[in-house]
Amino acid sequence: MPEYISAYAFIVLRVGAGMLFFVAYYFLFNREKISDKSDYLKLAIAAFFGVSLNMTAFFKGLSMTSAINASVLMLLAPVFVVIFNAIGYKKNIKPLVYLGIVVAFIGAVLLVDVVNFSFSDSGVWGDLLVMLNATSYAFYLFYVTRLLKKYKATTITMYLFIFGFIYVLPIGARDLLVVEWSALPTKAVFAMGYVIAGITILAYLLNAWALQNSNSTTVGSYIYLQPLLATLIAVSLGMDHLTWDKLGFGLLIVLGLWLVNKGR
């Protein structure tokens, strides 16, 4: 993006491909029925926050702000998950969980180079959209957990993508129609395929499975592994160098996640 495909067209491609995959899987292997008709509305709400608003706010926000700002603001998602759980379920979250999230947050913020973060006049709307993305994703993790207690992860994920596709199609359909598919180089095709198969289909499926077998606070806290994994991949490919401070920040993230799991 944006050389070969626009952001909104890419979102439609991602969600549409995910929908086709999960619908095919559902009819071939699953066929679980929705027992309560009111759950369709709940699925539509979950899809809006977890697929449509989540993706569009982030892509649009990223185009208006810096990658550093976006990386830092995305790290607010686990904090919002804890807030939604504390309010929505009226649960007393153990102090160890709060401590773990704070420790992991500090490590992740330091790792993504927070010193370059700035609320500039030109990028403040982009920053707000990325914050909206983080809040939307956090609410999705909190909200969809109730549905995952009743239905299979593949069933939930299929309906998320069906409703999500309905939401995003009007936004990116026009851009998708003007993509010159025959002119796409192999690198672009591979990148699109990876995003669709790995970051869309596999990630959402594993996310739903994790929520069924854990809780939204724990699942959300693992977002802090993203900057650590990105650093390790960059180092392994020779695109970055491992330094003592990066190692220390990474250990803070691991320590924080350990505290979150210990305090569950």
Side-chain angles (χ1 to χ4, degrees):
M1 298 180 300
E3 186 176 355
Y4 301 111
I5 188 170
S6 73
Y8 290 145
F10 203 9
I11 291 172
V12 174
L13 181 65
R14 287 182 64 183
V15 180
M19 178 187 68
L20 292 175
F21 174 85
F22 285 109
V23 166
Y25 183 92
Y26 176 84
F27 283 104
L28 288 173
F29 305 108
N30 191 350
R31 297 192 178 232
E32 181 184 29
K33 302 295 183 182
I34 300 298
S35 57
D36 189 344
K37 289 185 178 180
S38 65
D39 288 336
Y40 285 111
L41 176 60
K42 296 174 183 177
L43 287 164
I45 293 172
F48 176 76
F49 287 100
V51 178
S52 176
L53 183 60
N54 173 35
M55 288 189 186
T56 52
F58 178 73
F59 274 88
K60 184 62 177 178
L62 187 60
S63 69
M64 299 169 67
T65 186
S66 68
I68 293 296
N69 281 29
S71 300
V72 174
L73 291 170
M74 280 178 60
L75 299 175
L76 292 173
V79 179
F80 287 124
V81 173
V82 173
I83 294 172
F84 287 135
N85 272 285
I87 297 174
Y89 292 126
K90 296 180 173 61
K91 291 195 303 184
N92 292 320
I93 297 173
K94 294 181 180 179
L96 204 59
V97 174
Y98 284 115
L99 177 62
I101 287 176
V102 170
V103 170
F105 177 77
I106 292 172
V109 164
L110 292 172
L111 191 60
V112 297
D113 195 12
V114 71
V115 294
N116 289 325
F117 182 92
S118 65
F119 277 118
S120 63
D121 292 337
S122 59
V124 68
W125 286 108
D127 294 332
L128 291 173
L129 283 171
V130 175
M131 288 182 67
L132 178 61
N133 153 256
T135 310
S136 173
Y137 183 66
F139 182 79
Y140 157 74
L141 290 179
F142 155 75
Y143 188 84
V144 80
T145 305
R146 304 176 187 185
L147 291 166
L148 286 163
K149 291 178 180 178
K150 297 178 63 175
Y151 307 105
K152 295 178 182 177
T154 49
T155 304
I156 297 294
T157 310
M158 181 194 72
Y159 281 104
L160 287 178
F161 277 91
I162 289 175
F163 284 115
F165 184 72
I166 294 172
Y167 295 145
V168 302
L169 185 61
I171 299 173
R174 182 179 298 178
D175 287 357
L176 190 65
L177 291 174
V178 300
V179 175
E180 297 182 11
W181 301 103
S182 60
L184 293 178
T186 304
K187 182 179 180 180
V189 174
F190 175 82
M192 289 181 185
Y194 174 74
V195 170
I196 291 170
I199 303 172
T200 305
I201 295 173
L202 188 61
Y204 271 85
L205 181 60
L206 291 177
N207 196 292
W209 180 87
L211 286 168
Q212 280 188 325
N213 293 274
S214 183
N215 59 63
S216 55
T217 300
T218 304
V219 173
S221 65
Y222 274 82
I223 291 173
Y224 292 136
L225 277 181
Q226 291 182 1
L228 176 60
L229 292 172
T231 300
L232 294 175
I233 292 170
V235 169
S236 67
L237 295 177
M239 300 168 64
D240 200 351
H241 300 285
L242 186 63
T243 59
W244 284 109
D245 58 346
K246 291 177 182 177
L247 182 61
F249 302 153
L251 290 175
L252 274 179
I253 295 172
V254 174
L255 173 62
L257 293 175
W258 180 78
L259 291 171
V260 169
N261 280 282
K262 189 173 178 62
R264 280 177 50 191

